[in-house]
Amino acid sequence: MKIGRNDPCPCGSGKKYKHCCYMKENISTSDLIRAAVQNAGYKEDIATVLCNLSEYMKKKQWWGACHASSSALYVALSELGYSPKLCIGEMLGHGLYFDHSWVDLYGQILDIAISMTLLGGAPVSEPIVFGRDIRNGQGPAIKYGVPGRGIEDETLVVYSLPFVDYMDNFPDEKNGLWGVVQELLGTKVNIPALREKYKGVKRVIVRNETEQ
């Protein structure tokens, strides 16, 4: 049944639909990302990088590119002076397990790629920014770092590969993923210097004792 703009919002807030979830459902992804960053108390530069990543992934149709997008995001945030962790692990969503990468910043999840996974051929979640779904403001419906079978196949290869080799050799990207870092930051970077700076980066396997 179609919900009228003046009907009570089905979320139970007591507000009219047009003043509640209708607004959330019709706000752009970029605006929601910026609002989520601001609400979490972080600076606009993080929001800009996340918005740039979201737009770049849509433009390139980067479905299933969680390892690549998280790697580029890790470097971009580090270049802004933050201290992210590059995480990799198993996820549980819609009753299915799958491998995934994301960025942890000061104990909170940043994950744009979760909105463009290959699970079931459709997005499994809206982007997660500082641990919350940007559309509904709730915690992730997808469980991160579950104690499943352990990362497998392509994900295990990505984990084992030296970080700089992965960044250098990512296909179909000019200058590998270093070029994507430039897109996220909106400025040219010194790629040889970045190669040297990030040659020791290790991905962190997240495997919680109990499912979140």
Side-chain angles (χ1 to χ4, degrees):
M1 184 177 68
K2 186 176 180 180
I3 304 169
R5 286 168 52 86
N6 290 308
D7 290 342
C9 189
C11 77
S13 66
K15 300 178 181 178
K16 290 184 178 181
Y17 178 54
K18 67 182 179 182
H19 294 309
C20 192
C21 288
Y22 175 84
M23 296 178 65
K24 296 178 184 177
E25 291 164 2
N26 289 275
I27 297 174
S28 72
T29 297
S30 290
D31 285 345
L32 287 170
I33 288 173
R34 292 188 183 280
V37 171
Q38 183 179 48
N39 290 340
Y42 287 92
K43 292 165 56 177
E44 183 72 10
D45 56 357
I46 296 178
T48 297
V49 164
L50 293 174
C51 289
N52 288 346
L53 177 58
S54 176
E55 292 304 313
Y56 191 81
M57 292 185 74
K58 290 174 185 175
K59 179 177 72 175
K60 299 286 292 206
Q61 296 187 326
W62 254 17
W63 294 94
C66 63
H67 307 314
S69 59
S70 296
S71 298
L73 177 59
Y74 169 84
V75 175
L77 290 174
S78 297
E79 287 301 292
L80 291 175
Y82 297 101
S83 300
K85 289 196 302 184
L86 182 55
C87 300
I88 195 166
E90 280 185 281
M91 312 281 280
L92 178 60
H94 306 297
L96 297 173
Y97 289 91
F98 60 101
D99 293 339
H100 192 64
S101 285
W102 65 96
V103 167
D104 178 295
L105 188 60
Y106 307 132
Q108 299 186 80
I109 295 166
L110 296 176
D111 189 3
I112 302 300
I114 195 65
S115 65
M116 296 184 70
T117 73
L118 295 175
L119 184 63
V124 297
S125 171
E126 291 284 351
I128 303 298
V129 174
F130 290 110
R132 295 188 177 277
D133 182 309
I134 62 167
R135 190 69 60 177
N136 62 27
Q138 304 299 310
I142 308 301
K143 295 177 180 177
Y144 285 74
V146 297
R149 298 164 300 188
I151 59 173
E152 301 176 311
D153 303 327
E154 177 191 349
T155 305
L156 189 58
V157 172
V158 170
Y159 174 74
S160 303
L161 196 65
F163 183 72
V164 168
D165 289 353
Y166 180 74
M167 295 289 288
D168 282 346
N169 298 310
F170 193 82
D172 303 321
E173 293 292 333
K174 185 178 180 181
N175 296 315
L177 290 173
W178 306 111
V180 180
V181 172
Q182 291 189 150
E183 295 282 342
L184 301 191
L185 292 172
T187 185
K188 285 186 68 65
V189 297
N190 184 330
I191 293 176
L194 292 184
R195 287 192 179 106
E196 180 65 23
K197 183 176 180 179
Y198 293 100
K199 65 182 181 182
V201 169
K202 302 290 185 183
R203 299 174 191 272
V204 178
I205 293 182
V206 177
R207 185 178 170 87
N208 296 318
E209 290 296 323
T210 57
E211 294 180 3
Q212 296 174 354

